[in-house]
Amino acid sequence: MKCAVLGDPIDHSLSPILHQAAYAELEMSDWSYTSTRVQAGGLAKYVADLGGDWPPSRWRGLSVTMPLKREAYELARSMSPRARLVGAVNTLVRSSHGWVGDNTDLPGAVAAIRERAGEGFSCTSGAILGAGATAASTGLALAELGASRITLLARNPGAAGETIEMISRHPSKPVVSVLPLDSAVDGVDAVVSTVPAKAQTPDLIDRWASTPVVFDVVYDPWPSPLLSVAPGVAVSGLDLLVHQAVLQFELFTGRPAPLAAMRAAGEKALASRESSMEPTPA
């Protein structure tokens, strides 16, 4: 059985390492997981070229990353309620009636926060740095964790309308507002950063590092500037990646995923990347 992650760019993806580690741990030698660059607009043709035979002789599941998540949403013959809520598909699973769309980013974010902050963690007020697609899924995760107030901090507040609308669709009906990125918000239980490491200025770090729960979706560089100084509960992009990959593995294979083995493989790969960037001694 074959699975793959698709996107553009894709060379940086840790997904093959995580899934292959799971196959090795469970001695699933007849499964493989690769990465393939698929540019925007190319997903439908790529999937069509895989064929539609059932039961599948080869292809079982696809992980879908940027910029293809909306294309995957349109391609899916059916989809899970959480994929409809997020408005994006990051997982395609082959079934007898075509490709089924799902979204593991939302439950993966919830699981990552609960692992680090505790199963009983409840969020009343949350903030998100950024206002793009990742802000939408993590904002929904904060709503899942109980946040009734969610503030987006955006470089361009006027462009945050779609993200506000998506988070507001959560059944709990959180109040969602938007402010400029350099704003301060009081009484926040958890902050999620979706901005790149280079945008994490000293002022931004000082403003948010002491929040009780700091979640940074960035995993390369690792740790990010924000997480490297956060004194409270720190949730990393690797935590998110591992938990969403665990859910994908289980959707693809129908077997419980070996979380510890997948995390260890991801940590090893990130450590290797960081060491390869260190200057060579003179």
Side-chain angles (χ1 to χ4, degrees):
M1 302 296 288
K2 295 184 67 175
C3 301
V5 58
L6 315 176
D8 182 27
I10 202 62
D11 290 344
H12 69 289
S13 177
L14 288 178
S15 291
I17 292 171
L18 301 182
H19 285 260
Q20 289 167 3
Y23 300 153
E25 180 72 12
L26 299 181
E27 298 181 346
M28 298 170 63
S29 59
D30 54 342
W31 284 75
S32 66
Y33 188 107
T34 56
S35 63
T36 300
R37 181 182 177 224
V38 177
Q39 295 177 298
L43 182 62
K45 181 180 185 304
Y46 180 88
V47 171
D49 289 345
L50 299 181
D53 295 339
W54 186 263
S57 58
R58 297 181 66 200
W59 286 96
R60 174 60 176 165
L62 299 170
S63 306
V64 182
T65 187
M66 297 303 291
L68 305 174
K69 294 183 180 182
R70 295 295 173 87
E71 292 180 41
Y73 186 90
E74 299 298 327
L75 180 69
R77 290 289 300 273
S78 62
M79 66 184 67
S80 69
R82 62 194 179 197
R84 292 190 184 280
L85 179 63
V86 178
V89 162
N90 78 331
T91 308
L92 289 168
V93 185
R94 180 174 263 176
S95 74
S96 59
H97 60 277
W99 291 91
V100 178
D102 207 335
N103 187 293
T104 64
D105 289 331
L106 169 54
V110 172
I113 293 172
R114 282 182 171 156
E115 180 187 30
R116 298 300 184 187
E119 286 294 325
F121 173 73
S122 180
C123 179
T124 300
S125 176
I128 302 174
L129 311 181
T134 303
S137 61
T138 53
L140 287 165
L142 291 181
E144 288 279 303
L145 291 164
S148 59
R149 300 188 309 277
I150 298 172
T151 305
L152 304 176
L153 289 303
R155 278 174 283 196
N156 182 7
E162 183 177 1
T163 299
I164 293 172
E165 191 275 330
M166 290 180 66
I167 299 173
S168 299
R169 289 201 312 238
H170 191 272
S172 67
K173 303 300 180 184
V175 176
V176 185
S177 57
V178 60
L179 294 171
L181 184 60
D182 59 359
S183 302
V185 182
D186 294 329
V188 172
D189 302 311
V191 60
V192 181
S193 174
T194 70
V195 301
K198 63 183 180 181
Q200 296 179 6
T201 63
D203 285 346
L204 181 146
I205 293 170
D206 288 343
R207 192 176 303 120
W208 295 108
S210 296
T211 307
V213 175
V214 179
F215 181 7
D216 195 335
V217 302
V218 170
Y219 66 82
D220 192 2
W222 183 70
S224 68
L226 180 59
L227 282 192
S228 66
V229 298
V233 175
V235 187
S236 74
L238 181 61
D239 293 328
L240 171 61
L241 185 66
V242 168
H243 278 284
Q244 68 84 26
V246 160
L247 294 167
Q248 285 187 335
F249 175 90
E250 293 174 350
L251 289 169
F252 294 158
T253 69
R255 299 184 60 176
L259 171 64
M262 296 171 77
R263 185 193 304 281
E267 290 175 346
K268 181 178 179 180
L270 284 179
S272 176
R273 287 184 184 182
E274 185 158 338
S275 64
S276 69
M277 297 173 63
E278 293 177 356
T280 303

